[in-house]
Amino acid sequence: MSKCIICSSNLEKIKSLGPQPLANKYPKNISDIENEFTSPMDVYYCEKCLYVNLPCEVSRDIFFEDYYYLSSVNKELVNHFETMADDIDALDSKFVLDVGSNDGILLEKLLNKNINCLGIDPSENVSQIANSNGFKTIVGFFDEKSVKKIKLDFGNPDLITASSVFTHLEKPNDFFLNCKSLLCEGGKIIIEVEYLANIVNDFSFERFYFDRPHYYSLNALINLAKSHGFILEDAKIINVHGGSIRAIFTEKNGIETSKRAKEILIQEKSYLSKKQLIDKLDQFSFSCKKLKEQITQFKNSKLNIAAYGCPARFSTITNFGDIKKSDIPYVIDDSPLKQGRLSPGKHIPIKSYDINDKVDVYIVFAYEYIESIKKKLQNPDVKFFRPIPFQEI
């Protein structure tokens, strides 16, 4: 039986999202398809910690050995990390370690402010991109071995950041242990994580996939950090990745948790009850069926359909909703690493945008970037729809 990583209570299975592949593995040929991993995606819940787990018996090394997500292709993310760099600058940090630094999107902004920084990322191909652009990045996981190397070669940071990577960590307790070992006295941790309360409230369970085994409330993060001597200093909701939370932790004594963080804690309890979670999962199931029906109606009306954006959520929705190439002939994605490959599970072709494409309707899976997409296409005759909930955008 699965156990809660925070309190060791038995987790309760409350739903299955059916057979799912690895959402960030994009097959390219028959061999890739034949060797594609698939497993039931079962949703487990801890009512005490307000925490969700998606168990998956796959080594974390496999998830990141060949990775296809580049943060810097998204203008909105670039703007987000520009603002984050401003906030870090205001903390007067002298040396920042960015865990899960991807292609160096935050490192670039920090260097522009003359802040000493270092990245660490397990993906070799993406780290090579960062290093080739002059953003110093260690290839590897943030583990005891890496901590020793960083101490020896670079010294002790006074700030460790982890943006949109904490849900990916197989052993989040080890993250805090490594931070404790590496941070200089009085150092801080900034964690930006896809916020479970937002996912549940918006029934955006397309954000569930095996790459991310853990989904956190602020309550869960506090309990996890507290067991390692870290205190919550501040927290706020941020408008990135469909709604995330930024939490700042420190070991410094005498720190009072901010008023806005306390307000978030009070509010999230009503969003994350067992009943609310099950009801919202049922809404998600209904919405996937509705999406399939809407696509069929478009096809019956002789409209040309394509998808825009092939993030991991594309895999969750299309596999749970049984949406195939016969439903959506192709999906456009701006990442050159994904172009020419196939979507996980349903194997819908991924291509770059072509101005000559004859499309009447786009189902936009990267819907948070809709303004950038509309600006790029500049076609008033095309209609754009968010998949879940299905609505014109």
Side-chain angles (χ1 to χ4, degrees):
M1 182 174 286
S2 293
K3 298 281 187 180
C4 176
I5 56 161
I6 301 166
C7 69
S8 298
S9 300
N10 290 334
L11 296 175
E12 181 179 1
K13 179 181 172 181
I14 58 173
K15 181 78 173 180
S16 178
L17 295 179
Q20 292 282 348
L22 303 183
N24 273 304
K25 293 296 181 186
Y26 298 87
K28 195 171 187 178
N29 50 44
I30 295 296
S31 176
D32 288 350
I33 291 171
E34 288 176 347
N35 291 294
E36 192 170 36
F37 170 89
T38 304
S39 180
M41 184 183 284
D42 297 329
V43 180
Y44 286 80
Y45 171 65
C46 177
E47 195 162 12
K48 178 181 177 182
C49 294
L50 307 181
Y51 155 80
V52 164
N53 178 234
L54 307 177
C56 181
E57 298 300 322
V58 173
S59 167
R60 303 308 291 170
D61 294 352
I62 293 173
F63 286 101
F64 300 105
E65 65 186 0
D66 197 20
Y67 203 55
Y68 300 98
Y69 180 79
L70 295 179
S71 299
S72 294
V73 302
N74 295 322
K75 182 177 180 294
E76 285 81 358
L77 275 182
V78 172
N79 293 338
H80 167 73
F81 283 107
E82 182 73 60
T83 301
M84 186 177 183
D86 289 338
D87 294 342
I88 290 171
D89 195 25
L91 294 174
D92 197 29
S93 294
K94 300 296 188 288
F95 174 31
V96 179
L97 174 69
D98 187 29
V99 177
S101 50
N102 197 256
D103 58 1
I105 187 170
L106 176 60
L107 302 180
E108 179 183 15
K109 307 305 178 188
L110 295 173
L111 287 172
N112 289 342
K113 297 180 181 298
N114 296 314
I115 297 173
N116 183 27
C117 57
L118 174 70
I120 181 167
D121 196 282
S123 173
E124 186 171 347
N125 63 320
V126 176
S127 296
Q128 285 176 350
I129 292 171
N131 279 312
S132 67
N133 288 322
F135 312 134
K136 193 180 298 179
T137 304
I138 296 171
V139 182
F141 288 95
F142 182 54
D143 54 20
E144 188 176 351
K145 180 181 175 182
S146 297
V147 166
K148 290 178 181 177
K149 177 178 174 58
I150 293 165
K151 280 182 181 178
L152 182 65
D153 295 348
F154 303 98
N156 299 82
D158 56 358
L159 176 64
I160 295 175
T161 59
S163 184
S164 193
V165 298
F166 201 72
T167 51
H168 293 280
L169 300 179
E170 185 178 20
K171 298 177 179 178
N173 280 291
D174 287 358
F175 173 85
F176 283 104
L177 285 171
N178 290 323
C179 286
K180 195 177 187 72
S181 171
L182 184 58
L183 276 171
C184 66
E185 187 177 352
K188 298 178 188 289
I189 305 169
I190 296 179
I191 294 173
E192 291 187 342
V193 63
E194 290 76 3
Y195 186 36
L196 181 58
N198 274 57
I199 291 173
V200 173
N201 197 41
D202 299 335
F203 60 95
S204 53
F205 297 101
E206 67 268 23
R207 297 182 182 279
F208 279 12
Y209 40 92
F210 289 131
D211 296 43
R212 299 172 175 171
H214 310 292
Y215 295 82
Y216 299 97
S217 62
L218 182 57
N219 177 73
L221 287 174
I222 289 172
N223 291 344
L224 189 59
K226 189 188 298 182
S227 65
H228 300 284
F230 289 95
I231 303 162
L232 180 70
E233 185 174 320
D234 192 18
K236 69 175 180 178
I237 307 299
I238 53 176
N239 187 26
V240 65
H241 296 299
S244 299
I245 192 165
R246 176 188 291 171
I248 302 178
F249 294 97
T250 182
E251 284 186 291
K252 195 180 294 184
N253 293 324
I255 294 295
E256 175 72 20
T257 300
S258 70
K259 180 181 177 183
R260 67 179 173 185
K262 292 176 180 177
E263 289 172 350
I264 291 170
L265 282 167
I266 293 169
Q267 190 177 48
E268 73 179 12
K269 288 182 180 178
S270 62
Y271 291 155
L272 295 176
S273 67
K274 177 181 171 183
K275 181 181 184 305
Q276 179 81 343
L277 188 52
I278 292 172
D279 287 348
K280 293 292 186 175
L281 279 161
D282 288 342
Q283 276 186 266
F284 176 74
S285 298
F286 173 79
S287 294
C288 285
K289 292 174 185 175
K290 184 177 179 182
L291 174 61
K292 175 99 170 176
E293 292 169 0
Q294 291 288 344
I295 290 171
T296 300
Q297 288 180 25
F298 286 142
K299 291 178 65 180
N300 291 341
S301 299
K302 308 300 182 186
L303 294 172
N304 295 317
I305 307 166
Y308 205 113
C310 194
R313 78 191 73 144
F314 185 90
S315 175
T316 304
I317 293 173
T318 55
N319 284 282
F320 186 62
D322 193 29
I323 296 167
K324 311 181 187 72
K325 181 182 174 182
S326 57
D327 300 303
I328 298 177
Y330 62 87
V331 52
I332 294 167
D333 197 277
D334 293 330
S335 171
L337 297 183
K338 298 178 187 177
Q339 293 161 4
R341 293 181 175 268
L342 303 169
S343 73
K346 294 304 178 183
H347 310 138
I348 297 170
I350 306 169
K351 63 190 285 291
S352 60
Y353 172 66
D354 186 336
I355 196 171
N356 295 313
D357 288 340
K358 304 296 183 185
V359 178
D360 302 303
V361 171
Y362 279 109
I363 311 296
V364 182
F365 287 80
Y367 45 81
E368 62 265 49
Y369 309 121
I370 184 60
E371 294 308 319
S372 296
I373 292 168
K374 285 183 176 180
K375 187 176 180 180
K376 180 176 182 177
L377 270 57
Q378 292 187 334
N379 187 341
D381 298 323
V382 173
K383 290 187 179 296
F384 301 90
F385 292 87
R386 175 174 172 158
I388 293 177
F390 188 84
Q391 58 188 35
E392 189 168 0
I393 51 177

